[in-house]
Amino acid sequence: MMKFQAFLIKYGEIGLKGKNRYVFEDALVRQIKNALKTAGEGKFEVSRINGRIFVHAPEDYDFDLTLSALKHVFGVTGICPVRVIPNRTPKGIAEAVVDFIRENYERFDFTFKINTRRANKAYPLGSMELDALVGEAVLEAFPDMRVDVHSPEEMIHIEVRKEDIYLYSLVFKGPGGMPVGTGGKAMLLLSGGIDSPVAGYMISKRGVQLDAVYFHAPPYTSERAKQKVVDLARIISAYAGVIYLHVINFTDIQMYIYDQCPHEELTIIMRRYMMRIAERLAVSSDCLGLVTGESIGQVASQTMKSLLATNEVCTLPVYRPLIGFDKQEIIEIAGNIGTFETSILPYEDCCTIFVAKHPVTKPNLNIIRRSELLLKEKIDTMVEEAVAGDEVIVIRHGEAASVERLRG
Ligand code: ATP
Ligand code: MG
């Protein structure tokens, strides 16, 4: 027999009232179903009863895989594996709770509280009486355990329903946030580095759906560098759902800027063209903002003055969720969400190849604008061509990315 037959999903409901609550719950149920596809498509049943969400597992399910899928759903704050047993007498319930504790804990010296909830009002015993009866049986079976009704180390829940009884006590932490789909869509500038995948994760955590764009510069950046970005997008998509990854061939633009503009301004001007193109893609795919992995002062192109210069070319808001983070803090999140190992693979990124020895750290906007004039109309044609050649890769977690050319 399986140890657990269901999961109770806890979610942050503070501030959720009326219509908002339904939008939140609907989106959450949809995302849970979506995430569970990796653990067995169509095999799980997700139900919403009295403002609570339960996932019922099939008999032959993989516990670890299922738990992992649920831990990737934004909006989920806690996951409680539930043992479902047939309805029985109070004495039967007490025995089941003792078994439950014996099987799920390693030490039996913690403080506890029994918390009964009686959904079946016809059950012969009241919830307080059942609490007392079961509590006594537990104390008898485990003499080193103690009852603490105010702040127990473990809360043992019993839910008495018509057909069956639910037992649960363990709580696994969920990622929190808002279910994806409750917050519009944004375009993530995704490089192969450590920061931008984390930035995407953080925006997605607020319920925002993601599209992404990667600026590729073959042959200066290899296919492996591109594959790394695809892999990163796939890791994020375990949280964010389907991601349309736009791959833009940036080589000609980059070379042209390199030829025409002062080298110390190259990074800033290149970044401005990335932003311009990203905004074009964002607008045509209904995104409400851009997302980058920038953090103040991390590198020359991320000083306040540099950010001012790159920001200037956008009309959409640019979300920079890592703006106040130290590198170490970003690395920690990258480790937790599983992108770090991929991000540190040593493939070149398009910015490192052309970077000047001494890039400007305090770009003067007027000078940058004047340098861009050197690019003449030709740059506009090149931008058009780059956008027209957009390769769109549809990224879905758990399956090979299917490459679709949706444009060009
Ligand atoms: P990351 O770790 O995300 O690569 P970084 O510290 O290397 O960031 P920069 O190279 O200055 O910083 O890039 C700043 C931001 O610009 C990145 O976080 C990313 O959002 C975007 N970006 C940089 N290069 C690319 C690229 N080749 N394709 C798409 N976006 C990019
Ligand atoms: Mg980078």
Side-chain angles (χ1 to χ4, degrees):
M1 198 186 94
M2 293 302 298
K3 254 177 123 187
F4 300 103
Q5 295 76 15
F7 297 84
L8 168 65
I9 305 299
K10 300 196 160 184
Y11 51 92
E13 41 200 321
I14 300 156
L16 288 174
K17 294 192 190 80
K19 187 166 163 281
N20 285 343
R21 185 186 171 117
Y22 289 105
V23 171
F24 183 98
E25 289 177 350
D26 283 346
L28 188 56
V29 167
R30 207 163 39 241
Q31 295 306 325
I32 289 170
K33 285 182 178 165
N34 202 24
L36 287 171
K37 284 180 187 168
T38 53
E41 176 121 41
K43 290 208 260 170
F44 292 84
E45 201 184 301
V46 184
S47 62
R48 195 161 71 185
I49 311 161
N50 305 328
R52 290 175 341 134
I53 295 174
F54 283 99
V55 171
H56 290 271
E59 243 177 61
D60 57 343
Y61 81 108
D62 181 327
F63 179 83
D64 294 334
L65 207 60
T66 305
L67 184 61
S68 162
L70 293 171
K71 281 183 179 174
H72 284 78
V73 180
F74 291 131
V76 172
T77 57
I79 304 150
C80 308
V82 178
R83 172 165 304 175
V84 182
I85 56 172
N87 203 338
R88 45 183 74 166
T89 60
K91 191 162 169 281
I93 292 179
E95 282 166 8
V97 171
V98 168
D99 286 345
F100 180 85
I101 293 173
R102 186 172 290 124
E103 285 169 37
N104 288 304
Y105 293 91
E106 273 160 13
R107 303 172 44 178
F108 307 99
D109 55 1
F110 51 86
T111 62
F112 73 102
K113 177 184 176 178
I114 305 291
N115 179 37
T116 303
R117 178 176 165 137
R118 217 168 44 124
N120 172 15
K121 300 291 178 211
Y123 195 79
L125 229 57
S127 52
M128 305 252 278
E129 294 163 291
L130 208 52
D131 284 348
L133 187 138
V134 174
E136 223 150 283
V138 171
L139 289 173
E140 206 166 294
F142 309 105
D144 293 338
M145 284 178 62
R146 271 181 307 112
V147 174
D148 182 344
V149 291
H150 299 296
S151 54
E153 288 167 84
E154 293 293 323
M155 183 83 108
I156 317 278
H157 299 269
I158 304 171
E159 200 163 311
V160 181
R161 305 155 69 93
K162 238 199 182 71
E163 303 291 326
D164 37 32
I165 311 276
Y166 287 6
L167 304 179
Y168 59 92
S169 65
L170 311 172
V171 188
F172 294 91
K173 205 168 174 308
M178 306 282 286
V180 172
T182 54
K185 189 161 69 164
M187 179 66 70
L188 168 67
L189 282 86
L190 181 61
S191 69
I194 295 169
D195 306 330
S196 46
V198 173
Y201 168 89
M202 290 183 69
I203 289 293
S204 175
K205 186 176 173 194
R206 298 312 304 161
V208 176
Q209 199 187 325
L210 292 180
D211 278 355
V213 53
Y214 166 57
F215 295 92
H216 189 38
Y220 303 101
T221 54
S222 63
E223 271 308 297
R224 288 198 308 176
K226 175 176 158 188
Q227 185 57 42
K228 177 176 157 183
V229 174
V230 170
D231 292 342
L232 286 168
R234 194 177 296 130
I235 297 168
I236 304 169
S237 80
Y239 297 93
V242 178
I243 297 175
Y244 285 77
L245 172 65
H246 300 256
V247 179
I248 295 289
N249 188 321
F250 204 54
T251 313
D252 292 348
I253 293 176
Q254 201 164 343
M255 294 298 284
Y256 185 55
I257 299 172
Y258 189 73
D259 287 342
Q260 304 295 320
C261 302
H263 287 182
E264 64 276 14
E265 292 167 17
L266 176 76
T267 306
I268 291 294
I269 295 177
M270 222 172 61
R271 301 269 312 120
R272 280 162 64 97
Y273 276 94
M274 283 187 186
M275 299 304 266
R276 287 181 174 109
I277 294 174
E279 176 157 296
R280 288 263 309 251
L281 299 172
V283 168
S284 63
S285 43
D286 296 323
C287 292
L288 303 174
L290 302 177
V291 182
T292 72
E294 290 158 316
S295 150
I296 293 176
Q298 201 190 80
V299 288
S301 60
Q302 297 176 21
T303 62
M304 292 275 280
K305 284 223 162 135
S306 297
L307 290 168
L308 183 83
T310 38
N311 202 70
E312 189 206 29
V313 300
C314 304
T315 39
L316 284 180
V318 181
Y319 296 103
R320 299 178 174 91
L322 307 181
I323 202 69
F325 280 48
D326 295 343
K327 195 73 184 186
Q328 202 48 44
E329 294 170 309
I330 300 170
I331 288 174
E332 198 178 316
I333 303 174
N336 290 339
I337 65 175
T339 53
F340 184 71
E341 295 299 319
T342 304
S343 286
I344 58 172
L345 292 173
Y347 312 135
E348 66 294 334
D349 96 34
C350 71
C351 311
T352 51
I353 288 161
F354 292 91
V355 279
K357 284 212 176 63
H358 304 289
V360 281
T361 53
K362 291 180 181 157
N364 178 316
L365 258 185
N366 290 323
I367 295 176
I368 295 289
R369 285 186 199 129
R370 212 175 307 143
S371 297
E372 280 184 358
L373 290 178
L374 300 169
L375 298 168
K376 309 216 182 62
E377 295 85 55
K378 190 176 168 203
I379 191 75
D380 300 331
T381 318
M382 296 177 88
V383 166
E384 289 307 323
E385 278 168 10
V387 170
D390 178 14
E391 176 196 11
V392 182
I393 305 180
V394 184
I395 308 280
R396 290 190 178 85
H397 183 69
E399 47 178 278
S402 43
V403 181
E404 287 171 37
R405 286 184 69 93
L406 299 184
R407 254 185 287 265

